[in-house]
Amino acid sequence: MWAALRSMVMRDLTLAVRRVADVLTTLFFFVIVVSLFPLGVGPEMETLRVIAPGVVWVAAILASMLALGRLFGNDYSDGTLEQILLAPQPLSLLVAAKVLAHWLVTGLPLVLMAPLLGLQFGLEGEALWTLWWTLLLGTPAISLIGAVGAALTLGLRGGSVLVSLLVLPLYIPVLIFGAGAVEAQVSGLGATAHLSLLGAIAVLALCFAPLAAAAALRISLD
Amino acid sequence: MLEAVGLAAVRGDRRLFTGLAFSLAAGELLYVHGPNGSGKTTLLRMLCGLVLPEAGEVRWEGHSIRKLGEDYRRELLYLGHAAALKDELTALENLRVASALQGRPVSERQALEALDALGLEDCADLPVQVLSQGQKRRVALARLYLTPVRIWILDEPFTALDKKAVAGLEQTLANHLRGGGLVVLTTHQEVMLTAAVAKTIAMGSWGD
Amino acid sequence: MSTTGINWFKYSSPATFYPLAGRMIPWFAGLAAVATVAGLYLGFFVAPPDYQQGDAYRIMFIHVPAAWMSMFIYVVMAGYAALGLIFNTRLSAMMASALAPTGALFTFLALWTGALWGKPMWGTWWVWDARLTSELILLFLYIGYMSLEAAIDDPRRASRASGLLAIVGVVNVPIIYYSVEWWNTLHQGASISFDKAPTMADSMLAALLVMTFACWMYAIAVVLARVRCIILERERHSEWVLEVLEEERR
């Protein structure tokens, strides 16, 4: 079974390497959206420092939403998704493997890029560090929850818009604890509570989202 | 023994079939034919467990395939309409990934041998997107040589194949049946299939 | 819903449920009308004005039942969706989709009346109060559910997919609710919480309960009427529907 899961992850990573443009689009989208805010709000560092965590988090959520269509979409249209459903392995584990690969190519680059954007917004030291940690804990949860939405909207007309209607409300707790952590750190409350809750959400998502996404795939391919 | 009991399928508003039943023992071939839209593909996907029947159930060795789950899927190879190949991967990589997913990883040599058997030795390291339709189809069919499972469910396997490949596939199917395998297939082409027992299901003609 | 007294397995066939629902609707509708009139009378004429809020608080008699209903209906909807997915019963899936618009309506009503109440209370139409924000998110969840169902052509896939979404949503509702509470306490503004409303006079409580009852009856009547339409639509090729239509034409 491990062989199957490993080859699932390796396959998706190989595909991503051979289609690097897709990965970069998501990353650049993230950078551009974040960079728009100073232009819209004004360049006062005080304001920017206050809105930075929220802006980075919302942009990260939107960017990963943009990539959700690719999670199952290509496999659906070329028929490989059917073969994945027919594999004699627990589908939820295969889904988890796919989400892991997806996160490595769409989520992790955002996490790595975020400190740079934080600097642009005048975040420093502890605050920057906290932002980085929240993204590292939160983006896997975002990918996992998104997988359920992506599986439900597979092959539908306007699926990419629909998926945002379905999953954005479910992202709210991640957003609240993610952006809130930085603020709590800055205000001197400490971010431990936020980070623990964020971690708890990530663990819950890891336990349940693959099951729900697997059920959704079976429904969508029926 | 693969059995279908009182199967019914509904697609949107249309009732594709009801009360469909058959049983298929080791070494037997089931040939499903009918016009486009008569529910052939739906029936095949139902036999795989991809489509939930509106009524009735599919049984393998006397047990519902819903309950068997992975144990049933381990016995099964389904080749659908689409070739189920990733365009960016080479033929060799595609085969190895598919086999690993099936829970039976193969070495590079085994995969190359399977491609050889279908006359694809030159294409092994090419990304699938540069291959022709017929070549893609043959890459997909190479899985028949790699995965020793009992039930083959093949949706239009002869499409886009040249004469020589058709003859080769006929031979492969005959060998599989002789070895106690089960085959369910649909095809539009006239093919020569030699099976000890060949059953046919004619699907309704009130499709589109 | 209060219809839990009915043996669903006996009535879970749309063919038996359809006429039964038809007979029940007038009763629930009648009760809803009577209770609304009584509740509004109690609320507007009997209940005393609040010593702090004056007469403005009276919108509570609609706002609070609507907010309760909006959350409760979502849970009931998810319950039906789960039944439909697990037992593959068609009627439960139909009930789930019949409940959604009513739930969304109550959510909207709760938001609207909340805004109306907010104006005299806080001097602004909208505050990011925990309750109102949760209601807003709940509205998003209803909208997601209804749009997913509408986007899928095949009715069976539509009800199974939206059913799964409802279950995922209901699991998330408590998490969302508590995270919004947390967020709200962290960003403590000068908001007046509905929690700290002064102790209610008996007549206020009575009006609130009667209005809640009215909302229940209304919801049941409307959902039954809607599920009858859904049954007819989805089963339009079955013989019993043709017979029913034949009978009604006569």
Side-chain angles (χ1 to χ4, degrees):
Chain A
M1 187 176 76
W2 287 112
L5 296 182
R6 203 178 52 232
S7 78
M8 185 86 253
V9 175
M10 289 314 290
R11 185 199 82 152
D12 280 7
L13 290 181
T14 316
L15 286 172
V17 169
R18 295 192 188 164
R19 260 188 307 212
V20 172
D22 281 357
V23 178
L24 293 180
T25 331
T26 312
L27 186 59
F28 287 138
F29 176 85
F30 176 58
V31 174
I32 291 174
V33 168
V34 173
S35 310
L36 283 182
F37 276 84
L39 300 174
V41 179
E44 291 83 19
M45 268 306 172
E46 267 319 298
T47 324
L48 290 182
R49 200 171 296 136
V50 174
I51 64 168
V55 166
V56 172
W57 256 102
V58 169
I61 283 175
L62 293 180
S64 60
M65 185 87 55
L66 207 64
L68 269 187
R70 263 179 280 132
L71 178 53
F72 301 116
N74 293 334
D75 287 355
Y76 177 69
S77 47
D78 63 23
T80 42
L81 192 59
E82 251 173 8
Q83 295 295 332
I84 293 172
L85 260 67
L86 288 175
Q89 328 286 345
L91 181 57
S92 50
L93 291 184
L94 291 175
V95 168
K98 274 191 79 66
V99 174
L100 171 66
H102 184 76
W103 178 76
L104 286 175
V105 294
T106 61
L108 192 59
L110 305 188
V111 178
L112 298 178
M113 186 57 105
L116 225 69
L117 298 173
L119 281 177
Q120 281 191 319
F121 277 67
L123 287 184
E124 271 160 6
E126 285 289 295
L128 204 58
W129 198 224
T130 314
L131 178 69
W132 191 81
W133 269 108
T134 60
L135 283 167
L136 190 64
L137 283 172
T139 47
I142 294 285
S143 297
L144 283 162
I145 298 168
V148 182
L152 282 172
T153 53
L154 213 50
L156 297 182
R157 278 169 281 110
S160 54
V161 184
L162 187 59
V163 75
S164 48
L165 280 186
L166 305 190
V167 301
L168 281 178
L170 304 179
Y171 284 166
I172 287 169
V174 182
L175 174 67
I176 287 176
F177 296 124
V182 185
E183 216 165 309
Q185 183 68 39
V186 172
S187 68
L189 283 171
T192 330
H194 283 88
L195 287 175
S196 323
L197 285 166
L198 205 54
I201 290 177
V203 170
L204 277 179
L206 184 62
C207 294
F208 295 109
L211 289 172
L217 284 179
R218 294 214 182 278
I219 290 171
S220 290
L221 262 75
D222 187 353
Chain B
M1 173 94 104
L2 184 67
E3 278 176 289
V5 187
L7 288 183
V10 174
R11 269 283 167 263
D13 266 352
R14 282 189 325 129
R15 196 163 280 279
L16 291 173
F17 48 82
T18 47
L20 191 149
F22 67 82
S23 70
L24 201 65
E28 293 186 345
L29 167 85
L30 178 68
Y31 173 46
V32 183
H33 63 94
N36 285 335
S38 58
K40 288 177 304 209
T41 297
T42 305
L43 174 61
L44 260 52
R45 298 181 78 237
M46 203 176 263
L47 295 179
C48 297
L50 285 169
V51 173
L52 193 64
E54 185 77 10
E57 65 175 5
V58 181
R59 296 189 194 138
W60 170 244
E61 311 286 25
H63 304 284
S64 159
I65 62 165
R66 285 269 137 197
K67 298 224 170 65
L68 289 175
E70 287 157 35
D71 292 329
Y72 175 66
R73 298 205 291 273
R74 198 165 288 124
E75 306 269 5
L76 175 86
L77 182 67
Y78 169 69
L79 297 182
H81 261 303
L85 301 170
K86 297 309 287 184
D87 275 347
E88 292 85 352
L89 299 184
T90 67
L92 195 62
E93 287 168 331
N94 264 302
L95 275 186
R96 296 195 63 191
V97 168
S99 307
L101 273 180
Q102 187 65 33
R104 302 168 195 268
V106 292
S107 70
E108 192 169 320
R109 238 199 46 212
Q110 284 170 300
L112 276 173
E113 276 167 16
L115 288 171
D116 270 355
L118 285 152
L120 288 164
E121 54 278 9
D122 300 332
C123 312
D125 287 322
L126 292 179
V128 165
Q129 57 194 347
V130 303
L131 301 186
S132 73
Q133 279 305 321
Q135 285 171 321
K136 281 185 193 173
R137 178 53 63 179
R138 277 188 280 159
V139 174
L141 289 172
R143 288 188 59 203
L144 297 178
Y145 294 84
L146 282 174
T147 332
V149 298
R150 292 184 60 197
I151 313 165
W152 288 0
I153 296 182
L154 311 174
D155 198 351
E156 301 283 350
F158 294 98
T159 311
L161 293 185
D162 57 27
K163 252 195 187 136
K164 197 172 140 228
V166 168
L169 180 57
E170 285 169 359
Q171 190 56 46
T172 313
L173 291 175
N175 287 343
H176 181 63
L177 291 166
R178 216 171 299 127
L182 291 76
V183 176
V184 180
L185 76 99
T186 64
T187 174
H188 274 111
Q189 268 127 310
E190 283 298 317
V191 283
M192 295 291 298
L193 288 167
T194 47
V197 186
K199 298 181 173 175
T200 28
I201 290 184
M203 307 293 283
S205 51
W206 38 293
D208 45 19
Chain C
M1 308 191 87
S2 71
T3 42
T4 41
I6 293 171
N7 177 356
W8 278 113
F9 280 102
K10 185 177 166 197
Y11 289 102
S12 62
S13 139
T16 17
F17 187 73
Y18 179 84
L20 178 74
R23 282 196 302 277
M24 291 193 302
I25 290 170
W27 290 98
F28 287 115
L31 281 172
V34 172
T36 309
V37 171
L40 288 181
Y41 176 77
L42 280 175
F44 284 128
F45 299 106
V46 178
D50 186 74
Y51 77 97
Q52 261 187 334
Q53 306 180 22
D55 281 328
Y57 87 97
R58 291 185 200 273
I59 202 160
M60 166 185 95
F61 298 122
I62 294 172
H63 175 82
V64 173
W68 283 345
M69 291 305 289
S70 66
M71 291 177 222
F72 196 71
I73 287 179
Y74 196 86
V75 174
V76 174
M77 185 179 90
Y80 274 117
L83 279 182
L85 275 181
I86 295 165
F87 299 109
N88 207 7
T89 44
R90 283 168 299 165
L91 187 59
S92 331
M94 294 179 196
M95 281 300 285
S97 51
L99 279 160
T102 304
L105 176 75
F106 276 119
T107 317
F108 179 73
L109 210 60
L111 281 172
W112 192 17
T113 51
L116 286 180
W117 196 356
K119 187 64 183 166
M121 292 283 295
W122 301 309
T124 162
W125 295 110
W126 181 261
V127 278
W128 289 94
D129 155 83
R131 299 278 171 90
L132 282 180
T133 312
S134 299
E135 278 294 316
L136 185 65
I137 297 169
L138 189 62
L139 184 64
F140 294 157
L141 289 177
Y142 274 118
I143 289 173
Y145 175 90
M146 290 191 288
S147 356
L148 180 64
E149 200 184 30
I152 305 177
D153 294 328
D154 186 71
R156 191 168 69 151
R157 180 183 164 190
S159 56
R160 292 175 72 205
S162 55
L164 185 68
L165 181 70
I167 295 169
V168 171
V170 87
V171 171
N172 272 283
V173 160
I175 302 176
I176 294 175
Y177 184 79
Y178 285 110
S179 63
V180 170
E181 287 269 296
W182 172 286
W183 162 82
N184 196 240
T185 46
L186 209 73
H187 299 257
Q188 195 62 252
S191 72
I192 300 168
S193 169
F194 297 130
D195 277 339
K196 294 171 203 131
T199 44
M200 271 193 265
D202 285 347
S203 54
M204 289 184 195
L205 190 65
L208 192 60
L209 290 179
V210 173
M211 279 309 290
T212 309
F213 180 74
C215 286
W216 274 83
M217 294 302 116
Y218 163 80
I220 294 172
V222 171
V223 167
L224 287 180
R226 196 175 292 120
V227 84
R228 268 165 64 94
C229 294
I230 296 175
I231 290 175
L232 283 191
E233 198 184 327
R234 296 222 185 135
E235 307 260 305
R236 63 178 175 275
H237 296 295
S238 60
E239 277 174 24
W240 73 266
V241 168
L242 298 179
E243 278 167 27
V244 164
L245 292 181
E246 195 66 26
E247 227 162 82
E248 281 178 8
R249 200 171 296 148
R250 240 180 273 143

